[in-house]
Amino acid sequence: SDVIFFNSQKHPSGHIWLTGDNRTGAGDGDDEQIIVKLNSLSEQYQRIIFVVSIYDGAKRNQHFGQVKNAFIRAVDGSGKEMVRFDLSGIGQYDQQRSLLFAELVRESNGWKFNALGSSSASDNFVEWLKKYV
């Protein structure tokens, strides 16, 4: 499997990339984006998962409940928001450091998007990946 993250921001195919790693939250709009050109991906790719995590969150005692205006969302090619999880404040994602956001699964007639929203106190995205290998 292939992993796109802050230390490896572009997939070898050139069809998936991370626009950057914003660790401060400064700026307006979407601080980080993952761009995926689904129609250009080779048939060998059957599933894509999306995980968001707070880098070194456990070590620094940080979690989503402490981050203002934290969210993750999926937007289609026309700019329409398909799903959004608000991660900030007290609630479901308080004390959580990572989130298995969604998966895309290739089907015979195209890609199926599944919003998942499963969270963890762990900040290690590799723990999520282990469930898929």
Side-chain angles (χ1 to χ4, degrees):
S1 62
D2 303 317
V3 179
I4 310 306
F5 68 112
F6 68 88
N7 216 16
S8 177
Q9 296 185 4
K10 191 166 187 175
H11 188 264
S13 71
H15 301 301
I16 304 173
W17 64 94
L18 176 64
T19 61
D21 181 32
N22 184 330
R23 295 189 189 174
T24 67
D28 294 326
D30 295 332
D31 291 339
E32 299 177 26
Q33 295 179 28
I34 300 171
I35 310 297
V36 183
K37 292 182 161 185
L38 293 174
N39 295 333
S40 301
L41 281 176
S42 163
E43 288 286 326
Q44 77 185 71
Y45 299 104
Q46 296 295 309
R47 180 183 309 261
I48 302 169
I49 64 168
F50 297 89
V51 176
V52 61
S53 65
I54 297 175
Y55 179 74
D56 275 346
K59 182 170 129 180
R60 294 183 288 179
N61 198 27
Q62 296 175 332
H63 55 82
F64 290 130
Q66 299 167 314
V67 181
K68 291 181 181 177
N69 301 318
F71 63 89
I72 185 168
R73 67 187 186 142
V75 179
D76 69 13
S78 69
K80 179 182 174 195
E81 187 173 273
M82 298 183 301
V83 66
R84 176 187 184 114
F85 291 104
D86 290 309
L87 305 173
S88 295
I90 303 302
Q92 180 178 0
Y93 303 113
D94 187 38
Q95 302 299 317
Q96 303 299 290
R97 295 179 180 94
S98 66
L99 177 82
L100 176 58
F101 170 59
E103 68 178 355
L104 286 162
V105 179
R106 190 186 292 267
E107 296 186 341
S108 59
N109 59 344
W111 290 89
K112 179 181 179 186
F113 180 85
N114 297 315
L116 301 171
S118 301
S119 62
S120 172
S122 171
D123 61 5
N124 188 345
F125 69 86
V126 176
E127 295 302 316
W128 292 111
L129 300 180
K130 288 178 182 177
K131 296 178 182 190
Y132 286 88
V133 290

